[in-house]
């Protein structure tokens, strides 16, 4: 039932040549996206993994990573649960699910999601989902904000914290450079038990389903990665429940971009509505101010007119009074003169 | 306003200046280490915790606490609450300094700070909420700078330029509210992409709304809190209008904060109900969540309400300080404490002392800049040659 790794060599060649130019990561848009059908993928059959760490060694070699403190054939390393780091793009962990006699080994690395959280999160588009399958990283634009690491649901990307001048995000490349040369990924090639199989994702899904059907007692009836977080290019088959061997089952099937689509969609609404609303409120405030000012103006004018009218009345009264006084004075003078004249007449 | 000639060297050797000076020296040393030895030498950041104290405190808390600028200017200029006018300039100044320091802190945190303009100039990652945050913060820092500039222009005697800028007040205020709404909420929305990592009690589809509402609470509380401090330490710089406005601002902003806190409490409870998260309340994280919800949301709501009812200014002042602390707790919870909550303790993060050192250093720079400006420029008083705008 197993498919020879070599069969796939030809396929990669075909896939690699027909579409070498990476298109933009539609992964991050809100459009319905069902993945690139011809994209390459790897099926990891956990039930076949013997925990030899040959894949770790191969990955270290093909990526020219520094030698670890303890050699790859030292299997005591498996006593502690480890994760990927900037110096180890893939890790094999040992699990001892309850009730099992034999331990289970699981290899982890970037799952090359169909709609990667890391790509959706990056604010300089440093990650791209290529049509060939690999999620690739462009170190030339990365600012080092590490939001991709926050976003990745599988805790995969790692950072070179010890580099002062050129720190980079580090993760499995699905051996994209080797694929371009028509070679298999380093880890797949090194695996002695064919626990790793390379091929087209659509084909591998069929292979996986075939295995589950042929050996229903051996496998959980689920292909991990078929739908998790919108689907991944690394697929897993397991005997024990996935959550017991370190593969989270609470991730759901929605791609990461769907969680943020709502918040992003709210931006144009805020930008469109706020100015209108705020200007409206400002206009009302201003109008209130203006009406208040106008009312004040009216009151002032009123007061002024009233005072003026008052003054007029007073003035008139004063003038009248003055007129009367004048008239009285004239009358008095005339009377005086008349009196004087009369007196003079009498004296004559 | 300060007669420098009367200052003797002894006057500089105040306990505050000595402590501030030591912190600055320490900060400069760590700065050199950070930029020559790398992040690993001065931080406890790990692959599980790519974001540590500098994002949690310097970015998330910093931006929230700098919200006083947009809250106050919107209240005064858009809603016409003129009696709070005296609070505008200090709030704008705090906002401007706050955002400037946030941007400074980001230079420490990102791996390659010289590439910070890349999201705008080289490769625009528009699907990222971080892109939106970056764009809004950059624009808003500019807006705040222009909003603050009249004070500096009055100090420098640039009458013509000041006249032009003050005519833009309304436009700038509206722009400030839009940009603040966007990035305050988007800072929360950053965590939407990681539903599997944030504890379900803190993860919610409403998280952008929570962040926006808490920014209003933070803004109101910071204006009160910082007004109280200014009143104590810079009283000699305040003119009659500012001294008289203090009680008005405290009562008005305290009342607003009480209402917003109460509303926030209600939406939080609705959030728990919507996700049906009640059962988590019985766990350890649930207890901690209740501490946050009851101790730092419900309690200050009552504190403000009672303080306003009894016109108890010192209760309002203490409540403001407590609320600010609550904002710190909330942001640390979301980005550190409830983040990766399921990890075993040896994989969890606790800040390196040098990370704390840099955060302290940056806060100290802010306080020193604030003091430098308010002792020279017309922030806490109205310049006699100019009308208030
Ligand atoms: S596993 Fe993580 S790093 Fe890899 S593609 Fe998916 S989100 Fe990106
Ligand atoms: S660390 Fe680099 S790759 Fe990751 S999100 Fe930030 S800029 Fe993008
Ligand atoms: S595909 Fe390549 S980079 Fe990825 S784990 Fe395998 S060897 Fe390493």
């Amino acid at each position: 039932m197993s498919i020879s790794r070599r069969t796939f060599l030809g396929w990669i060649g075909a896939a690699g040549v027909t579409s070498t130019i990476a298109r933009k990561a539609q992964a991050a848009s809100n459009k319905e996206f069902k993945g690139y059908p011809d994209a390459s993928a790897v099926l990891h059959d956990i039930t076949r993994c013997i925990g030899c760490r040959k894949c770790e060694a191969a990955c270290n070699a093909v990526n020219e990573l520094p030698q670890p403190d303890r050699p790859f054939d030292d299997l005591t390393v498996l006593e502690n649960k480890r994760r990927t780091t900037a110096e180890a793009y893939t890790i094999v962990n040992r699990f001892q699910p309850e009730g099992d006699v034999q331990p289970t080994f699981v290899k982890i690395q970037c799952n090359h999601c169909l709609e990667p959280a890391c790509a959706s999160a990056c604010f300089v588009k440093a990650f791209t989902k290529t049509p060939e399958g690999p999620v690739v990283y462009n170190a030339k634009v990365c600012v080092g904000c590490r939001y991709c690491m926050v976003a990745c649901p599988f805790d995969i990307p790692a950072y070179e914290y010890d580099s002062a001048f050129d720190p980079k995000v580090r993760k499995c490349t699905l051996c994209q450079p080797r694929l371009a040369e028509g070679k298999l990924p380093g880890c797949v090639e090194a695996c002695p038990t064919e626990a790793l199989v390379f091929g087209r994702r659509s084909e591998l899904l069929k292979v996986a389903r075939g295995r589950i059907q042929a050996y229903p007692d051996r496998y959980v009836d689920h292909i991990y990665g078929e739908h998790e977080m919108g689907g991944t290019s690394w697929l897993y088959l397991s005997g024990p429940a996935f959550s017991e061997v370190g593969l989270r089952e609470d991730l759901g099937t929605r791609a990461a971009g769907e969680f943020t689509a709502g918040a992003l969609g709210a931006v144009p609404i805020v930008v469109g509505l706020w100015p209108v609303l705020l200007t409206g409120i400002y206009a009302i405030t201003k109008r209130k101010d203006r009406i208040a000012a106008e009312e004040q103006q009216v009151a002032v004018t009123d007061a002024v007119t009233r005072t003026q009218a008052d003054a007029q009345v007073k003035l008139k009264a004063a003038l009248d009074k003055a007129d009367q006084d004048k008239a009285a004075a004239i009358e008095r003078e005339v009377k005086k003169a008349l009196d004087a004249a009369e007196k003079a007449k009498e004296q004559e | 306003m300060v007669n420098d000639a009367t200052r003797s060297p002894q006057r500089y050797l105040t306990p505050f200046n000595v402590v501030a000076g030591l912190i600055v020296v320490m900060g400069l040393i760590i700065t050199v280490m950070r930029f020559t030895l790398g992040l690993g030498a001065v931080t406890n950041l790990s692959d599980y915790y790519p974001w540590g104290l500098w994002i949690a405190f310097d970015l998330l808390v910093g931006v929230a606490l700098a919200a006083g600028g947009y809250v106050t200017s919107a209240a005064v200029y858009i809603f016409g609450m003129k009696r709070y006018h005296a609070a505008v300039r200090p709030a704008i100044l705090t906002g401007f300094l706050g955002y400037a320091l946030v941007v400074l802190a980001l230079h420490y945190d990102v791996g390659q700070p010289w590439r910070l303009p890349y999201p705008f100039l080289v490769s625009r990652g528009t699907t990222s909420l971080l892109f939106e945050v970056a764009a809004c913060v950059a624009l808003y820092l500019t807006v705040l700078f222009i909003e603050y500039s009249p004070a500096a222009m009055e100090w420098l005697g640039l009458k013509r330029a000041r006249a032009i800028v003050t005519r833009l007040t309304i436009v700038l205020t509206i722009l400030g509210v839009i940009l603040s709404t966007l990035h305050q909420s988007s800072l929360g929305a950053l965590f939407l992409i990681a539903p599997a990592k944030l504890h379900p009690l803190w993860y919610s589809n409403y998280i952008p709304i929570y962040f926006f509402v808490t920014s209003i609470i933070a803004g109101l509380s910071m204006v009160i809190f910082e007004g109280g401090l200014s009143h104590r330490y810079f009283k000699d710089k305040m003119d009659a209008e500012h001294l008289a406005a203090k009680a008005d601002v405290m009562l008005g902003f305290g009342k607003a904060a009480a209402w917003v806190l109460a509303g926030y409490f209600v939406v939080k409870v609705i959030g728990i109900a919507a996700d049906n998260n009640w059962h988590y309340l019985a766990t350890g994280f649930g207890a901690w969540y209740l501490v946050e919800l009851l101790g730092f949301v419900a309690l200050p709501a009552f504190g403000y309400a009672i303080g306003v009812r009894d016109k108890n200014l010192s209760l309002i002042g203490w409540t403001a300080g407590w609320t600010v602390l609550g904002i710190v707790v909330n942001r640390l919870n979301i980005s550190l404490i409830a983040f990766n909550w399921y990890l075993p303790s040896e994989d969890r993060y606790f800040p390196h002392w040098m990370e704390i050192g840099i955060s302290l250093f940056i806060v100290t720079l802010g306080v020193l800049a604030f003091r430098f400006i308010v002792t020279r420029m017309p922030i806490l008083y109205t310049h006699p040659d100019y009308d208030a705008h």
Side-chain angles (χ1 to χ4, degrees):
Chain A
M1 214 29 235
S2 106
I3 287 186
S4 156
R5 280 175 273 144
R6 286 167 189 78
T7 326
F8 288 103
L9 274 170
W11 296 7
I12 325 145
V17 171
T18 48
S19 47
T20 33
I21 307 155
R23 256 171 288 147
K24 233 166 81 191
Q26 281 160 327
S29 81
N30 301 338
K31 270 180 260 132
E32 179 91 13
F33 174 70
K34 284 282 164 247
Y36 301 104
D38 288 338
S40 39
V42 176
L43 173 63
H44 177 30
D45 189 334
I46 293 172
T47 64
R48 298 183 176 207
C49 181
I50 54 168
C52 64
R53 300 185 68 210
K54 293 235 158 54
C55 54
E56 286 190 39
C59 181
N60 177 280
V62 302
N63 290 296
E64 292 162 13
L65 297 172
Q67 279 303 310
D69 298 340
R70 285 151 81 182
F72 287 106
D73 50 18
D74 178 359
L75 296 184
T76 57
V77 170
L78 294 170
E79 276 154 26
N80 298 310
K81 190 173 182 245
R82 297 168 301 147
R83 61 155 287 162
T84 52
T85 69
E87 295 175 352
Y89 302 168
T90 187
I91 290 288
V92 177
N93 275 317
R94 183 172 66 198
F95 296 90
Q96 190 67 58
E98 240 172 89
D100 283 11
V101 195
Q102 295 293 325
T104 300
F105 301 95
V106 182
K107 172 188 183 294
I108 51 167
Q109 70 299 303
C110 171
N111 284 326
H112 299 273
C113 308
L114 304 187
E115 301 177 65
C118 55
S120 160
C122 179
F123 70 162
V124 288
K125 291 195 290 196
F127 285 105
T128 316
K129 174 73 179 175
T130 59
E132 296 81 19
V135 173
V136 295
Y137 167 70
N138 176 4
K140 289 206 181 69
V141 294
C142 172
V143 181
C145 68
R146 309 185 296 281
Y147 187 31
C148 49
M149 298 167 66
V150 169
C152 172
F154 303 106
D155 282 326
I156 292 303
Y159 201 62
E160 295 175 334
Y161 289 108
D162 292 324
S163 161
F165 303 108
D166 190 23
K168 293 180 280 293
V169 174
R170 283 285 163 243
K171 72 166 191 70
C172 153
T173 60
L174 223 172
C175 281
Q176 193 215 24
R178 286 172 60 88
L179 296 192
E181 294 170 17
K183 294 186 197 151
L184 277 176
C187 53
V188 175
E189 197 175 70
C191 180
T193 63
E194 291 189 1
L196 298 169
V197 182
F198 179 86
R200 282 191 190 136
R201 187 171 186 270
S202 45
E203 295 294 329
L204 289 181
L205 281 171
K206 281 186 209 147
V207 172
R209 238 171 254 126
R211 287 189 193 175
I212 294 174
Q213 251 157 34
Y215 307 100
D217 298 338
R218 189 179 170 124
Y219 296 108
V220 182
D221 186 10
H222 180 75
I223 305 168
Y224 192 92
E226 184 175 11
H227 300 298
E228 271 74 15
M229 289 304 281
T232 62
S233 296
W234 215 284
L235 304 165
Y236 301 78
L237 281 179
S238 173
F242 286 100
S243 55
E244 288 192 38
V245 294
L247 293 167
R248 297 185 65 162
E249 291 186 283
D250 57 350
L251 298 178
T253 57
R254 290 162 68 202
E258 288 178 39
F259 294 103
T260 52
L264 283 170
V267 174
I269 301 176
V270 171
V271 173
L273 277 186
W274 257 158
V276 180
L277 264 173
L278 295 175
T279 317
I281 295 170
Y282 172 63
I284 294 170
T285 309
K286 233 185 139 183
R287 180 154 178 277
K288 262 203 253 154
D289 283 357
R290 207 187 53 228
I291 291 175
E294 271 171 15
E295 278 170 358
Q296 198 182 6
Q297 188 62 41
V298 170
V300 169
T301 332
D302 234 36
V304 171
T305 347
R306 224 174 306 121
T307 341
Q308 275 172 354
D310 272 5
Q312 288 286 334
V313 173
K314 274 202 195 114
L315 187 64
K316 189 151 183 300
L319 284 176
D320 285 354
K321 192 156 177 278
D323 279 353
Q324 279 169 13
D325 287 354
K326 220 184 200 163
I330 293 170
E331 217 167 286
R332 256 198 321 276
E333 289 303 314
V334 172
K335 204 161 170 245
K336 246 196 230 156
L338 284 177
D339 283 353
E342 219 153 291
K343 262 189 198 143
K345 238 189 211 162
E346 276 168 17
Q347 279 165 5
E348 267 174 27
Chain B
M1 292 292 112
V2 171
N3 190 352
D4 280 312
T6 62
R7 289 203 152 181
S8 58
Q10 282 94 329
R11 279 198 59 185
Y12 284 112
L13 281 178
T14 59
F16 172 82
N17 285 358
V18 172
V19 173
L22 288 175
I23 294 176
V24 170
V25 171
M26 171 196 68
L28 292 175
I29 295 171
I30 304 175
T31 302
V32 172
M33 292 177 68
R34 153 69 186 91
F35 290 105
T36 53
L37 303 175
L39 281 164
V42 298
T43 71
N44 278 346
L45 294 173
S46 67
D47 293 331
Y48 278 123
Y49 280 94
W51 286 356
L53 188 70
W54 293 344
I55 293 294
F57 183 77
D58 300 36
L59 174 68
L60 297 182
V61 174
V63 167
L65 295 188
Y70 90 89
V71 172
T72 313
S73 55
V76 171
Y77 294 128
I78 298 181
F79 292 90
M81 303 178 184
K82 297 236 172 58
R83 59 187 187 286
Y84 306 133
H85 188 267
V88 172
R89 276 201 177 175
I92 293 281
L93 175 63
T94 321
F96 169 56
L97 291 175
Y99 277 85
L101 295 171
V102 164
V103 173
L104 175 67
L106 286 179
H107 284 77
Y108 284 79
D109 187 75
V110 304
Q112 310 209 22
W114 46 90
R115 288 184 180 172
L116 273 172
Y118 275 27
F120 313 118
L121 303 180
V122 176
S123 177
R124 273 171 290 273
T126 47
T127 57
S128 171
L129 278 155
L130 195 61
F131 178 82
E132 193 200 319
V133 171
C136 290
V137 167
L139 284 174
Y140 188 46
L141 179 61
T142 318
V143 168
L144 277 170
F145 174 72
I146 304 174
E147 286 189 296
Y148 149 77
S149 66
M153 290 167 176
E154 288 169 17
W155 182 52
L156 298 168
L158 304 172
K159 289 199 179 175
R160 188 105 37 88
R162 181 202 176 271
I164 296 170
V165 175
T166 51
R167 240 176 278 138
L168 296 175
T169 303
I170 286 302
V171 179
L172 290 172
T173 306
I174 292 181
L175 208 57
V177 174
I178 298 167
L179 292 171
S180 296
T181 312
L182 288 178
H183 72 262
Q184 294 283 4
S185 56
S186 298
L187 279 176
L190 286 180
F191 293 91
L192 284 178
I193 203 163
K197 296 191 181 177
L198 188 56
H199 191 285
L201 278 173
W202 281 273
Y203 186 91
S204 160
N205 288 328
Y206 298 141
I207 204 170
I209 296 171
Y210 294 161
F211 264 59
F212 176 61
V213 175
T214 44
S215 83
I216 298 176
I217 297 169
L220 293 167
S221 301
M222 268 307 272
V223 169
I224 299 174
F225 180 65
E226 180 212 295
L229 293 182
S230 292
H231 202 260
R232 177 165 308 166
Y233 297 108
F234 301 114
K235 203 170 179 177
D236 53 322
K237 298 285 173 298
M238 294 184 155
D239 62 10
E241 185 207 345
H242 285 72
L243 288 172
K246 187 193 167 213
D248 241 10
V249 169
M250 286 183 92
L251 290 172
F253 278 43
K255 191 170 179 185
W259 280 109
V260 185
L261 275 163
Y264 176 58
F265 183 83
V266 173
V267 286
K268 283 289 259 193
V269 175
I270 293 176
I272 305 179
D275 296 336
N276 202 6
N277 278 337
W278 301 108
H279 58 287
Y280 286 110
L281 290 179
T283 63
F285 272 100
W288 179 233
Y289 184 84
L290 287 177
V291 169
E292 185 192 321
L293 189 62
L294 300 177
F296 291 103
V297 180
L299 185 67
F302 280 115
Y304 275 130
I306 293 169
V308 170
R309 189 194 62 191
D310 301 347
K311 298 213 175 357
N312 182 343
L313 295 187
S314 79
L315 177 59
I316 296 179
W318 280 106
T319 308
W322 186 250
T323 313
V324 167
L325 186 65
I327 298 292
V328 178
V329 169
N330 173 257
R331 297 304 195 255
L332 293 190
N333 274 345
I334 287 166
S335 56
L336 298 178
I337 297 169
F339 190 79
N340 282 342
W341 55 286
Y342 44 81
L343 283 184
S345 55
E346 69 267 19
D347 287 335
R348 302 218 49 187
Y349 162 90
F350 191 84
H352 194 283
W353 71 264
M354 288 203 246
E355 291 179 79
I356 302 174
I358 286 295
S359 292
L360 248 175
F361 167 63
I362 287 179
V363 171
T364 308
L365 288 185
V367 173
L368 291 176
F370 187 84
R371 186 178 70 169
F372 178 88
I373 292 173
V374 298
T375 49
R376 284 166 180 78
M377 302 179 197
I379 301 292
L380 299 173
Y381 59 92
T382 309
H383 195 291
D385 297 351
Y386 299 87
D387 288 339
H389 63 98

